[in-house]
Amino acid sequence: MIAVLGAGAIGGYVGGMLAASGLSVTFIGRAGPPEALAEGIVLHPQGGPARGVSVHDTTLAGPEGLHGAETILLCTKSGDTAAAARTIAAHAPEGAPVVSLQNGLGNVETLSARLGPGRVVPGMVGFNVISPAPGDYRQASEGEILVGPAAERLADQMRGAGLPAAVHRNMTGVQWSKLILNLNNPLNALSGLPLRDHLMDRDWRRISAACAEETIAVARAKGIALERIGKVQPRLAPLVMRLPTPLFRVIAGAMLRVAPEARTSMAVDLAAGRRSELPWLNGKVAEAGRETGVPTPVIDAVIAMTEESFAAGRSPRMTGAEARARIAALRSRG
C-alpha cells in the first residue's frame, strides 16, 4: 500500500493517478481522514481524458492508516515537515521508505534527522497542479517527477499510472535546479496575476533572472552541479528570462503551456491566508549565500516584499516595473 501524507494539489493528483491505475493507495490526514476527498477524486492529466476515482477505490484515513504503508509519499508543505516526521515515526512501519515530493530545500534533512537518512528519498515534481474545487486536480503544466535511486520501483509504478517519472542520481543538483524555477513563486504572488500573464511581463522576468543568477552563484560556491530539468537548462534561465517578450514567447514556449488560471503555490497560499514556504525557497538561497559569502541582494529584497504581503494577508498586485523600483529602493537602504 502507498500512503500519501498531504492531500493537497500534488498529493491529490499523484496519489489519485496511482489509485486510478489500480494500485492500493491510502490518503492520510494528520487529524483524521482528509475531508476534501470524501466525495471522490477527479483527475485532469494534461492532454488526456479526465479520470474519476471514488473513495471506494482507495482509502481515506487518519495517522493510523500509516500502519500498513509500504511506501509513504510526503506531499505536505515544508512548514509541516517536522510534524509529519513525528507522525510517520509514531504510526508507520520502521522500514517503509519516505519519498519527499515537496517544494524547496531542507525537507530531506529534517526527515532524516527524525527517521534516519537511509529511509528518506528525495523527489521533485516538475509540473504544476491546480485544484479549483475539493477533490478536483488538474495538471496545469508540463514536466516529470524525479526521485532518488532508492525509489526505482515507485518510479516504475508512476510510469504505469501515466505519470512521467524517472530516477536521478544527483537529486541535490535537481532540487537546486528546481529551486531556480521556484524563485518565481513569490514574484507571482506579488503580481497577483495568472502565471501565464505574469510571465509575459518582461520586468518580472528580469527580476526572476537576477534571482536565478544569484542562486547559480550560490550553488557554484557550494560545489553543487545543477541539472537540466525537462527542457529547462538552469544556467540558461537568466538569459532566456531577459529576452524581449516576442522572442521569449517563441523560445520558452513549453514554459508558457500552462492552464490560463494557473498560479504558483505561493500565490495560492497568500490568497488562502496560509503561511508561505518562503523560508524553504528564497530563504534557503539567502541562508546559503551568507554561509558562502555570496551576496543575494535581489533575493533578500524579494523576501522582504513577500513577507510584507503575507503579513498584510493580500497581494500588492504590483507591476513588474513597480517591483523593480521597490527592489532598487530596498537595495539602496543596504
Side-chain angles (χ1 to χ4, degrees), residues 109-128:
E109 290 78 7
T110 298
L111 292 166
S112 296
R114 183 67 179 82
L115 304 173
R119 187 177 173 186
V120 181
V121 184
M124 186 282 301
V125 179
F127 51 80
N128 181 277

Side-chain angles (χ1 to χ4, degrees), residues 53-291:
V53 180
S54 74
V55 293
H56 301 295
D57 298 327
T58 184
T59 303
L60 309 181
E64 71 283 353
L66 288 166
H67 291 167
E70 297 173 357
T71 301
I72 300 166
L73 304 186
L74 184 59
C75 304
T76 64
K77 295 290 186 180
S78 297
D80 297 323
T81 300
R86 292 192 294 270
T87 298
I88 292 169
H91 297 280
E94 289 188 8
V98 179
V99 183
S100 168
L101 296 182
Q102 301 163 281
N103 267 343
L105 302 177
N107 293 299
V108 170
E109 290 78 7
T110 298
L111 292 166
S112 296
R114 183 67 179 82
L115 304 173
R119 187 177 173 186
V120 181
V121 184
M124 186 282 301
V125 179
F127 51 80
N128 181 277
V129 176
I130 59 175
S131 180
D136 187 345
Y137 300 108
R138 306 179 180 220
Q139 184 179 342
S141 65
E142 295 181 347
E144 66 178 341
I145 300 173
L146 298 178
V147 294
E152 188 167 357
R153 179 168 179 264
L154 175 65
D156 288 339
Q157 291 172 322
M158 287 179 170
R159 288 191 293 270
L163 291 163
V167 169
H168 203 291
R169 298 194 176 279
N170 179 19
M171 286 303 298
T172 298
V174 165
Q175 290 180 322
W176 272 81
S177 296
K178 174 68 185 301
L179 180 61
I180 290 172
L181 304 180
N182 277 341
L183 295 177
N184 197 48
N185 271 20
L187 303 183
N188 184 234
L190 293 170
S191 77
L193 294 171
L195 185 55
R196 188 187 296 172
D197 295 340
H198 167 86
L199 289 170
M200 284 295 97
D201 185 325
R202 192 181 183 189
D203 284 310
W204 278 118
R205 296 200 309 275
R206 284 171 170 151
I207 298 170
S208 183
C211 291
E213 285 176 336
E214 291 177 359
T215 304
I216 291 168
V218 172
R220 184 184 300 116
K222 289 178 66 65
I224 294 170
L226 298 175
E227 299 287 348
R228 185 187 187 97
I229 297 181
K231 299 176 182 178
V232 179
Q233 172 53 260
R235 295 188 184 280
L236 296 179
L239 174 63
V240 172
M241 297 301 279
R242 286 196 174 99
L243 291 171
T245 297
L247 188 55
F248 173 78
R249 186 182 286 112
V250 174
I251 299 297
M255 186 184 297
L256 300 175
R257 284 197 285 274
V258 298
E261 68 272 33
R263 299 172 189 265
T264 64
S265 58
M266 197 173 296
V268 174
D269 288 341
L270 177 56
R274 295 190 286 261
R275 59 182 169 176
S276 84
E277 289 191 289
L278 197 65
W280 294 271
L281 298 172
N282 304 55
K284 285 294 183 182
V285 181
E287 179 184 313
R290 291 190 293 271
E291 292 171 354

Side-chain angles (χ1 to χ4, degrees), residues 13 16-17 20 41-53 135-139 161:
Y13 182 74
M17 290 289 284
I41 301 170
V42 180
L43 306 159
H44 300 268
Q46 193 173 50
R51 306 180 189 181
V53 180
D136 187 345
Y137 300 108
R138 306 179 180 220
Q139 184 179 342

